[in-house]
């Protein structure tokens, strides 16, 4: 055992739990109270930077109070829901903090939604009011008839026909703090927010998010990154999502530091902003890092005041290059889901790892990996009916033991049916209950965990499991390939799904020689390639796959250049209509 490594690990865990010590599930202290404490202690210290605005803690708290007073005048009480349909801005944070001061719940709606997903998200929240950005009001108006109980719409950022003017109402509202008695009976385990899943596999689901869970995550990241009042975190991720809106925001505002809010991510403005605002941290997702790394080198790369960054999805193939080129002192990769109870932090900056649970901490952190049947999309059971824990290096589904211990509860979704689908029973013994992450992970002998793939993204071909993330990793290091999205497609007459990759490439890239660069087993090598000008992503930078899977590989339908792997010649060739016809007729052997 490396004693220095173990000491550092235990010190990091202890530091995190020290910050968590004040959180009580039955307690009444919530995040809004912490904001008020900093407003009293350091009223002039910056809380938020946005464009040319610098908002001190006192003004920030007063802004939240105005939202609280406005909501109270509209009859909003403890437990009522108000929907937020806004782009990133300081008022976004003020709004849900102000609502929480009343004990109300804010439903954080993805500002990129339109049509049926938007109507569904509003409907399942059962909101009484909706705070809507003026520029987003038309999108909501288009689906209003599809929402059974349409909330009263208040427009922020300009007057809009058919909506009430929130700007005017806030200007007239009181900046004084509401009496805490208005939320009498509220405890930390009560709901604070609805945060939605991405909806990549169906309609978005609204996850319950308690005050306790919020503080647990905020203090956890503050402890892991040792944040202090002099720190500033750059947030270009959407505030409607937990990574940007809770973790990144919370690790600053619980410590008296400042949040630098960006309306949306810009690859060209990222580093100039980091330098201009004096950021000491930033929040990332993996694709954001890849976009930055794909930009031409600049003499100012590495010129900044950063102490580190935190996020998830930074793939091993670009980790070292990203850290070295931009001189990032510390990368704290994490794993977790908004609604789940499985969360880990990579305190030690081990490349590719999402966290660690050493053997002597397994009792404190009940996170396990169980064998998984990819074809049946279910955990494997033994002769007694129990799940089988994976050995080191073996890929399986990550699960987390559900209990009332801090961080181990599963708060579920607004729809009970969705909640039950994520619960696994009788896992290792009769009567135990575990949360299903829906993710495939593996663990090494030292206790480090590594993300492999989402269940549903991994597919079977030639009797073997193919992880799309591992194929994407192999493709992304090939010269000339800038972005990759790997998925499986059905081929008539073949069992399983064949691998296909949508690629964004540099000008002049020749797929004919690609096979020679791929260090993949024959069954994992993509059978089809599709060259795209750009890849579609969600608002949280997740690659969209559903439409690509549906479109398949028919050159008569797809306008993009298509290629197929000719095993007889060992190279990729243009997929003509004739070649496509031979494949679907079963004349081509793979």
């Amino acid at each position: 055992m490396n004693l220095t490594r173990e000491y550092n690990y235990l010190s990091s865990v202890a530091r995190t739990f020290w910050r968590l010590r004040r959180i009580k599930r039955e307690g009444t202290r919530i995040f809004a109270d912490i904001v008020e404490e900093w407003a009293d202690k350091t009223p002039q210290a910056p809380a938020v930077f946005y464009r040319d605005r610098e908002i001190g803690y006192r003004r920030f708290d007063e802004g939240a109070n105005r939202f609280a007073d406005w909501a109270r005048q509209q009859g909003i009480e403890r437990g009522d829901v108000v929907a937020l349909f806004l782009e990133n801005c300081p008022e976004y944070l003020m709004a849900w903090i102000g609502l929480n001061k009343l004990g109300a719940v804010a439903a954080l709606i993805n500002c990129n939604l339109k049509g049926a997903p938007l109507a569904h998200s509003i409907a399942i929240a059962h909101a009484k009011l909706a705070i809507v950005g003026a520029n987003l009001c038309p999108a909501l108006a288009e689906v209003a008839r599809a929402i059974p109980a349409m909330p009263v719409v208040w427009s922020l950022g300009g007057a809009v026909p058919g909506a009430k003017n929130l700007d005017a109402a806030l200007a007239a509202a009181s900046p004084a703090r509401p009496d805490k008695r208005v939320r009498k009976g509220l405890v930390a385990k009560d709901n604070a927010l609805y945060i939605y899943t991405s909806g990549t596999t169906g309609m978005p689901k609204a996850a319950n998010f308690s005050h306790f869970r919020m503080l647990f995550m905020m203090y956890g990241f503050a402890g892991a990154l040792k944040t202090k009042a002099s720190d500033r975190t750059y947030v270009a991720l959407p505030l409607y999502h937990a990574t940007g809106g809770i973790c990144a925001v919370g690790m600053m505002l619980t410590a008296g530091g400042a949040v630098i809010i960006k309306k949306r991510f810009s690859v060209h403005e990222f580093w100039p902003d980091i330098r201009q605002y004096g950021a000491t941290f930033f929040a990332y997702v993996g694709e954001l890092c890849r976009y930055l790394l794909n930009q031409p080198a600049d003499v100012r790369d590495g010129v900044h005041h950063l102490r580190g960054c935190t996020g998830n999805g930074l793939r091993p193939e670009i980790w070292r290059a990203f850290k070295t080129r931009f001189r990032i002192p510390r990368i704290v990769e994490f794993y977790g889901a908004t609604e789940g109870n499985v969360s880990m932090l990579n305190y030690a900056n081990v490349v590719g790892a999402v966290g660690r649970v050493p053997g002597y901490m397994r009792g404190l952190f009940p996170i396990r990996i169980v064998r998984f049947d990819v074809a049946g999309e279910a955990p494997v059971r033994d002769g007694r009916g129990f799940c089988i824990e994976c050995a080191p290096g073996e890929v399986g589904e990550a699960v987390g033991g559900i209990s009332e211990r801090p961080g181990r509860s599963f708060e579920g979704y607004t729809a009970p049916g969705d909640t039950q689908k994520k619960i696994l029973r009788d896992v290792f013994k009769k009567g135990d209950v575990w949360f299903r992450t829906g993710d495939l992970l593996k663990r090494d002998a030292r206790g480090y965990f590594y993300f492999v793939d989402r269940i549903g993204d991994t597919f079977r071909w030639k009797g073997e499991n193919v992880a799309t993330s591992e194929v994407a990793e192999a493709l992304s290091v090939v010269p000339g390939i800038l972005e990759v999205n790997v998925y499986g497609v059905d081929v008539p007459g073949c069992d399983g799904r064949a691998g296909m990759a949508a690629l964004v490439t540099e000008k002049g890239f020749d797929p004919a020689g690609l096979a020679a660069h791929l260090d993949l087993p024959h069954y994992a090598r993509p059978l089809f390639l599709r060259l795209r000008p750009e890849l579609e992503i969600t608002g949280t930078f997740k690659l969209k796959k559903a439409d690509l899977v549906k479109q398949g590989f028919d050159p008569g339908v797809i306008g993009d250049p298509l290629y197929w792997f000719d095993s007889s010649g060992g190279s990729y060739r243009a997929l003509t209509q004739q070649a496509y016809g031979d494949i679907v007729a079963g004349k081509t052997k793979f």
Side-chain angles (χ1 to χ4, degrees):
M1 178 184 290
N2 185 315
L3 294 180
T4 300
R5 186 184 68 211
E6 296 307 310
Y7 173 79
N8 291 336
Y9 170 77
L10 289 172
S11 296
S12 298
V13 173
R15 185 172 60 246
T16 300
F17 273 87
W18 176 253
R19 297 216 184 190
L20 295 172
R21 73 193 187 283
R22 297 181 66 184
I23 310 173
K24 307 294 182 185
R25 284 177 58 83
E26 302 296 335
T28 58
R29 188 169 185 261
I30 63 175
F31 177 58
D33 295 320
I34 298 173
V35 172
E36 292 180 357
E37 290 164 9
W38 283 112
D40 292 339
K41 185 177 180 180
T42 56
Q44 303 307 318
V48 175
F49 292 92
Y50 179 70
R51 295 180 175 174
D52 60 351
R53 297 167 62 188
E54 178 181 327
I55 304 172
Y57 268 93
R58 175 180 291 163
R59 282 206 300 128
F60 182 70
D61 183 46
E62 289 176 346
N65 295 336
R66 290 182 185 276
F67 274 98
D69 187 54
W70 159 79
R72 184 188 56 77
Q73 292 181 43
Q74 309 313 311
I76 296 299
E77 300 176 341
R78 174 188 159 199
D80 289 338
V81 180
V82 177
L84 266 61
F85 188 42
L86 301 168
E87 295 180 314
N88 282 11
C89 62
E91 287 70 26
Y92 197 106
L93 301 180
M94 294 176 188
W96 68 254
I97 293 172
L99 291 167
N100 282 176
K101 288 188 178 198
L102 302 180
V105 179
L108 310 185
I109 310 295
N110 182 337
C111 62
N112 300 294
L113 293 182
K114 295 181 179 180
L118 174 58
H120 172 79
S121 297
I122 295 288
I124 63 175
H126 302 291
K128 291 188 174 181
L129 308 176
I131 300 173
V132 184
N135 61 322
L136 300 177
C137 283
L140 184 56
E142 288 181 2
V143 299
R145 292 184 179 179
I147 301 171
M150 182 68 182
V152 178
V153 177
W154 288 77
S155 172
L156 185 67
V160 175
K164 295 191 175 184
N165 191 327
L166 184 53
D167 301 292
L170 290 174
S174 172
R177 290 174 187 165
D179 192 315
K180 287 186 172 66
R181 287 177 294 183
V182 299
R183 62 175 192 254
K184 183 180 178 181
L186 180 82
V187 292
K189 68 179 181 180
D190 292 336
N191 238 15
L193 307 170
Y194 291 152
I195 299 183
Y196 292 72
T197 62
S198 62
T200 53
T201 55
M203 288 294 185
K205 296 189 287 289
N208 297 315
F209 201 86
S210 70
H211 296 278
F212 176 84
R213 181 167 176 76
M214 182 193 300
L215 287 176
F216 192 87
M217 291 173 65
M218 289 176 165
Y219 276 129
F221 279 84
L225 281 91
K226 297 188 261 189
T227 56
K228 48 194 177 184
S230 58
D231 282 320
R232 299 176 178 183
T233 290
Y234 184 76
V235 182
L237 302 179
L239 294 178
Y240 59 74
H241 196 256
T243 302
I246 303 299
C247 301
V249 167
M251 74 184 198
M252 283 296 103
L253 298 188
T254 56
V259 182
I260 305 159
I261 296 176
K262 185 73 173 177
K263 187 173 184 179
R264 62 178 62 89
F265 170 71
S266 166
V267 70
H268 300 295
E269 297 173 4
F270 185 90
W271 290 114
D273 283 347
I274 291 288
R275 289 186 281 269
Q276 176 187 340
Y277 292 105
T280 54
F281 292 101
F282 68 85
Y284 69 81
V285 291
E287 287 305 301
L288 181 152
C289 299
R290 192 182 298 278
Y291 296 152
L292 293 171
L293 199 57
N294 283 341
Q295 296 305 298
D298 190 293
V299 293
R300 294 170 295 175
D301 287 345
V303 178
H304 51 64
H305 298 288
L306 291 171
R307 297 205 292 121
C309 60
T310 186
N312 58 13
L314 181 57
R315 298 300 301 167
E317 71 272 15
I318 68 168
W319 187 304
R320 288 189 178 89
F322 186 77
K323 178 179 173 65
T324 301
R325 173 177 163 182
F326 298 115
R327 299 178 186 173
I328 310 295
R330 188 167 179 236
I331 297 174
V332 179
E333 175 85 359
F334 74 89
Y335 172 81
T338 299
E339 72 278 28
N341 69 348
V342 177
S343 58
M344 293 177 282
L345 289 160
N346 181 359
Y347 294 104
N349 197 22
V350 173
V351 174
V354 298
R356 180 178 180 233
V357 179
Y360 57 81
M361 298 287 268
R362 279 167 59 89
L364 186 60
F365 301 107
I367 301 171
R368 306 290 184 265
I369 300 176
V370 297
R371 288 184 183 173
F372 187 79
D373 177 7
V374 171
E377 293 199 352
V380 175
R381 301 272 184 171
D382 62 17
R384 300 177 301 161
F386 297 129
C387 295
I388 305 166
E389 186 171 1
C390 290
E394 186 179 0
V395 176
E397 182 177 4
V399 297
I402 298 175
S403 71
E404 290 302 308
R405 289 173 57 184
R408 300 272 69 87
S409 63
F410 171 44
E411 296 174 350
Y413 307 97
T414 55
D418 291 333
T419 300
Q420 290 303 313
K421 290 176 184 177
K422 298 292 284 188
I423 294 176
L424 196 62
R425 302 181 187 278
D426 301 332
V427 178
F428 299 113
K429 62 182 180 180
K430 203 70 176 173
D432 64 356
V433 184
W434 294 67
F435 169 75
R436 293 191 62 182
T437 63
D439 291 328
L440 299 177
L441 276 74
K442 61 183 178 181
R443 176 181 60 86
D444 66 20
R446 298 181 297 169
Y448 285 100
F449 286 74
Y450 300 83
F451 179 84
V452 176
D453 217 354
R454 286 286 300 168
I455 290 174
D457 285 349
T458 289
F459 55 87
R460 286 184 69 80
W461 180 249
K462 300 293 184 182
E464 301 284 352
N465 296 336
V466 181
T468 59
S469 59
E470 293 183 352
V471 177
E473 181 177 330
L475 285 165
S476 64
V477 297
V478 174
I481 295 180
L482 300 177
E483 298 176 43
V484 182
N485 192 358
V486 178
Y487 48 99
V489 293
D490 292 321
V491 179
C494 296
D495 292 330
R497 290 187 290 156
M500 186 166 181
L503 307 176
V504 176
T505 62
E506 293 178 343
K507 187 177 181 179
F509 175 77
D510 183 11
L514 174 59
H517 293 278
L518 292 181
D519 184 20
L520 288 169
H522 68 91
Y523 60 83
R525 183 191 300 116
L527 198 60
F528 304 103
L529 304 176
R530 178 175 178 176
L531 304 190
R532 299 276 295 151
E534 61 180 2
L535 298 181
E536 287 189 278
I537 58 173
T538 68
T540 53
F541 296 89
K542 293 179 181 178
L543 292 166
K544 292 184 177 181
K545 299 190 181 190
D547 288 342
L548 295 174
V549 171
K550 290 178 183 178
Q551 292 162 10
F553 57 97
D554 185 352
V557 175
I558 299 169
D560 298 324
L562 296 172
Y563 295 82
W564 69 287
F565 183 72
D566 181 359
S567 57
S568 63
S571 65
Y572 286 94
R573 298 172 53 191
L575 182 61
T576 63
Q577 199 66 50
Q578 178 62 51
Y580 172 78
D582 289 343
I583 291 170
V584 298
K587 297 179 181 178
T588 303
K589 303 301 179 185
F590 301 115

